[in-house]
């Protein structure tokens, strides 16, 4: 196919018309012509042989490069493909150099001196010797027979110059592959080097630096991507939502809190989730801390520990959540926005983090989701004994009273608006009558002035 306005066109008739009108069509036709049959015609010199007669096959080189580019784009391991392509170029260059060496040896005479190719009986031995000689020259290994003639000196010198150019090209290509690998890792995984250097500069290395290194190693080995927001930030919002939903929505549906929620709510949530990875023995939150996030367990296990930090009261596994009580406003909550438990990561735990502002935005758009979350939070507070039912009833009564007062104010405001509209209408009617009266008086005054002027003129 071909791209038109960024869309892949695969219609056969349009592809055919476009190909027949392009420059590639005559080149492809010339490349497949059987020109080697010209060697069979009488009068054509046979010295050049079939290889030169097939030189038109080289017109397919642009197609070869195009195929390489497409393969590198579609493959899942582009760096491995680049290395394989570089090795193919290297072997092909040695092959061509060996062919030129054998052609020069045949012209000078096989076996006439130590430098030229020996006159082996089998063609395979001649080819292997030529390939080996070219490998020594192009790899700049040395240990080749000393040239004896001018042609041999020129050929050897040209081979060494090509070897220098090829070595520089290979070095640059390998460096580019390594740089691409490093850039790809840096785009997804953070680098532990700056943190280690910072700890070493502050004299706080040792065990802490080891934990930092192990955390980074875990991210790479388990393919954890904590920098998802930075990777997806350049995508449009709709496409970013689809990508995030395809990656995280199955895990989010396993959370018990969201099983009854709609697809739209989950899609709004998944855009605001931030992946976080906690290491062994690391506290996710402590009792009494101000809660600004809630967490969903994607992988791993977390322990609810007592104040001593050792005794495990409960274990949280995949699909569970915690921290929502400090984010939502539940009437009668004696803990307020403080954490109610100590949560410790047993091993490496992969969590989803949702901020308080993000949760408030989603719940404001979907009131039924807010109602469901408040109901589950109330059940949990009742089980923990941290729900003051009296305060809850008082808050409900106060809210009802405030609602009643608000409705009364709305009714009074509507009455005031009605009276204001009536007064405004009366004011406009009075102004209209006043304007008509003034206009009538002005007309009478103008008429009397005309009568006075007419009487004065008659007296004169």
């Amino acid at each position: 196919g071909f791209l038109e306005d960024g869309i892949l066109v695969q219609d056969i008739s349009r592809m055919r018309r476009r190909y027949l009108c392009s420059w590639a069509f005559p080149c492809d036709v010339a490349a497949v012509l059987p020109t080697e049959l010209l060697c069979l015609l009488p009068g054509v010199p046979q010295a050049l042989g079939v290889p030169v007669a097939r030189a038109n096959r080289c017109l397919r080189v642009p197609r070869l490069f195009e195929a390489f580019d497409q393969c590198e784009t579609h493959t899942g391991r582009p760096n491995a493909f680049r290395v394989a392509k570089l090795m193919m170029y290297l072997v092909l260059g040695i092959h061509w150099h060996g062919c030129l060496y054998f052609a020069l040896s045949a012209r000078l005479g096989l076996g006439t001196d130590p430098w030229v190719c020996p006159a082996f009986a089998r063609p395979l031995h001649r080819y292997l010797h030529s390939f080996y000689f070219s490998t020594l020259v192009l790899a700049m290994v040395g240990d080749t027979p000393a040239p004896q003639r001018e042609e041999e000196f020129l050929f050897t010198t040209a081979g060494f110059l090509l070897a220098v150019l090829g070595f520089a090209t290979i070095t640059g290509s390998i460096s580019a592959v390594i740089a691409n690998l490093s850039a790809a890792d840096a785009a997804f995984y953070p680098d532990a080097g700056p943190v280690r250097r910072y700890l070493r500069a502050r004299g706080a290395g040792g065990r802490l630096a080891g934990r930092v290194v192990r955390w980074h190693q875990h991210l790479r080995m388990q393919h954890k991507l904590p920098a998802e927001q930075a990777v997806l930030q350049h995508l449009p919002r709709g496409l970013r939502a689809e990508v995030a939903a395809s990656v995280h929505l199955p895990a989010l549906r396993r959370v018990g809190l969201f099983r009854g929620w709609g697809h739209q709510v989950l899609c709004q949530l998944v855009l605001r989730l931030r992946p976080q990875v906690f290491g062994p023995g690391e506290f996710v939150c402590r009792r009494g801390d101000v809660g600004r996030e809630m967490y969903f367990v994607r992988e791993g296990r977390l322990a609810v520990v007592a104040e001593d930090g050792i005794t495990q009261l409960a274990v949280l596994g995949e699909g569970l959540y915690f921290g929502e009580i400090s984010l939502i406003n539940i009437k009668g909550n004696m803990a307020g926005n403080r954490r109610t438990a100590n949560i410790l990561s047993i091993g490496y735990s992969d969590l989803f983090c949702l901020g308080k502002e993000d949760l408030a935005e989603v719940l404001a758009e979907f009131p039924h989701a807010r109602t469901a979350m408040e109901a589950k939070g109330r059940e949990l507070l009742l089980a923990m004994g941290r729900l003051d039912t009296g305060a809850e009833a008082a808050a409900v009564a106060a809210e009802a009273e405030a609602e009643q007062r608000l409705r009364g104010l709305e009714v009074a405001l509507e009455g005031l608006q009605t009276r204001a509209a009536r007064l405004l209408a009366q004011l406009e009617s009075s102004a209209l009558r006043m304007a008509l009266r003034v206009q009538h008086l002005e007309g009478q005054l103008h008429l009397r002035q005309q009568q006075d002027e007419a009487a004065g003129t008659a007296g004169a």
Side-chain angles (χ1 to χ4, degrees):
F2 63 94
L3 293 179
E4 185 176 58
D5 297 331
I7 301 176
L8 183 63
V9 178
Q10 293 182 318
D11 183 66
I12 300 298
S13 59
R14 296 180 62 184
M15 290 167 55
R16 184 187 300 112
R17 289 195 301 269
R18 187 174 184 271
Y19 174 63
L20 294 178
C21 297
S22 65
W23 61 269
F25 176 68
C27 293
D28 293 341
V29 171
V32 298
L33 292 177
T35 52
E36 62 270 16
L37 299 179
L38 297 175
C39 298
L40 303 179
L41 298 177
V44 176
Q46 301 293 323
L48 297 179
V50 176
V52 177
R54 291 188 306 183
N56 59 325
R57 302 293 190 272
C58 296
L59 295 175
R60 298 287 292 175
V61 170
R63 289 295 191 183
L64 178 65
F65 291 154
E66 181 181 355
F68 282 163
D69 293 339
Q70 292 186 5
C71 190
E72 183 176 341
T73 302
H74 293 127
T75 183
R77 299 181 179 275
N79 293 314
F81 179 78
R82 294 190 191 106
V83 173
K85 184 173 64 175
L86 181 62
M87 296 302 297
M88 187 201 71
Y89 287 156
L90 181 61
V91 173
L92 189 61
I94 295 176
H95 166 76
W96 285 346
H97 188 271
C99 293
L100 294 175
Y101 166 74
F102 181 78
L104 180 60
S105 300
R107 182 177 179 277
L108 298 178
L110 298 177
T112 55
D113 59 43
W115 188 86
V116 299
C117 181
F120 293 114
R122 298 181 59 186
L124 179 61
H125 289 175
R126 297 180 182 181
Y127 175 76
L128 292 178
H129 178 84
S130 302
F131 193 88
Y132 174 72
F133 182 87
S134 298
T135 303
L136 295 179
V137 172
L138 296 182
M140 301 182 68
V141 176
D143 196 21
T144 57
Q148 306 293 331
R149 312 177 195 180
E150 296 179 356
E151 296 87 347
E152 298 173 359
F153 277 107
L154 292 175
F155 187 84
T156 305
T157 303
F160 285 146
L161 293 178
L162 288 175
V164 172
L165 179 61
F167 183 77
T169 304
I170 294 173
T171 304
S173 301
I174 297 297
S175 301
V177 171
I178 296 175
N180 290 335
L181 288 174
S182 302
D185 289 342
F188 292 101
Y189 307 107
D191 186 14
V195 182
R196 295 175 60 186
R197 289 191 293 270
Y198 170 77
L199 293 175
R200 187 166 53 250
R202 296 294 181 178
R207 180 175 175 273
L208 187 58
R211 289 180 57 190
V212 172
V213 172
R214 288 192 295 272
W215 183 79
H216 285 83
Q217 290 177 350
H218 173 77
L219 292 183
R220 294 177 181 272
M221 288 188 298
Q222 300 298 325
H223 303 288
K224 306 294 184 183
L225 306 178
E228 288 186 357
Q229 300 295 332
V231 174
L232 304 178
Q233 63 180 348
H234 299 295
L235 294 178
R237 182 176 179 83
L239 184 57
R240 186 166 68 247
E242 292 184 12
V243 173
S246 64
V247 175
H248 298 311
L249 205 55
L252 202 61
R253 291 187 185 277
R254 292 195 296 267
V255 178
L257 179 64
F258 302 138
R259 286 175 184 169
W261 292 23
H263 181 75
Q264 294 182 349
V265 188
L266 298 182
C267 289
Q268 291 295 326
L269 278 175
V270 80
L271 281 176
R272 295 169 170 84
L273 294 178
R274 298 190 304 273
Q276 289 188 0
V277 180
F278 292 88
E282 187 175 356
F283 277 94
V284 180
C285 61
R286 294 180 180 270
R287 183 176 181 180
D289 294 344
V290 178
R292 297 183 177 87
E293 303 93 6
M294 68 176 299
Y295 299 92
F296 310 97
V297 184
R298 183 181 181 183
E299 293 179 2
R301 294 188 306 155
L302 299 102
V304 181
V305 297
E307 294 297 332
D308 57 3
I310 300 176
T311 306
Q312 295 186 6
L313 305 178
V315 176
L316 304 178
E318 179 181 346
L320 298 181
Y321 59 94
F322 59 91
E324 77 283 0
I325 298 178
S326 58
L327 298 188
I328 55 180
N329 185 20
I330 300 178
K331 301 175 181 63
N333 182 11
M334 294 185 294
N337 62 342
R338 300 285 179 174
R339 299 294 189 188
T340 59
N342 300 313
I343 308 297
L344 178 71
S345 178
I346 298 177
Y348 284 98
S349 302
D350 190 2
L351 308 179
F352 285 137
C353 176
L354 182 63
K356 185 175 183 178
E357 294 79 8
D358 297 330
L359 180 62
E361 291 179 3
V362 176
L363 295 182
E365 296 179 4
F366 303 94
H368 64 280
R370 172 184 289 277
T371 304
M373 179 170 282
E374 289 180 353
K376 292 192 176 183
R378 186 178 182 278
E379 294 176 2
L380 184 59
L381 286 175
L382 280 175
M384 297 172 58
R386 290 184 174 274
L387 183 64
D388 188 354
T389 55
E392 182 185 12
V396 171
E399 184 178 356
E401 183 180 358
E403 184 70 21
Q404 185 177 2
R405 289 183 179 180
L406 181 60
R407 291 179 180 177
L409 290 176
E410 290 178 352
V411 172
L413 181 60
E414 290 179 358
L416 290 175
Q417 289 178 349
T418 303
R419 293 181 59 186
R422 187 182 299 115
L423 291 175
L424 182 60
Q426 293 176 357
L427 179 62
E428 291 179 352
S429 177
S430 300
L432 180 60
R433 289 196 301 268
M434 185 66 70
L436 292 176
R437 186 176 180 184
V438 170
Q439 185 179 3
H440 177 68
L441 292 175
E442 287 179 351
Q444 289 182 353
L445 179 62
H446 183 66
L447 180 60
R448 180 167 294 183
Q449 288 178 354
Q450 288 180 350
Q451 291 177 354
D452 294 341
E453 290 177 359
T457 302

